[in-house]
Amino acid sequence: MGSKRGTFVVRVLYQQNNTWQGEVLWAERNERQNFRSTLELMKFMDSALEEHRGEQEKSIET
């Protein structure tokens, strides 16, 4: 497994209610996702990395 896990470009458009709103780009997949809170941003990034890890493990098994 390589050491590079994921590259995310975060664009914060607003700050309201003590949190960020904006968009995040998962660079390896060129996948964009809007987020309405910092927690939502972290959940997206976490699930993207879990998905990536699962794909890497699957490719090692075959």
Side-chain angles (χ1 to χ4, degrees), residues 18-53:
N18 295 317
T19 192
W20 295 340
Q21 295 89 41
E23 66 181 16
V24 58
L25 168 67
W26 184 7
E28 286 80 10
R29 296 256 178 106
N30 197 30
E31 182 179 331
R32 290 185 190 275
Q33 177 79 33
N34 291 326
F35 62 90
R36 295 169 290 181
S37 69
T38 309
L39 179 60
E40 199 172 89
L41 168 64
M42 293 295 122
K43 285 182 177 181
F44 170 76
M45 293 169 69
D46 184 56
S47 69
L49 292 175
E50 284 297 320
E51 181 182 323
H52 181 67
R53 183 180 316 146

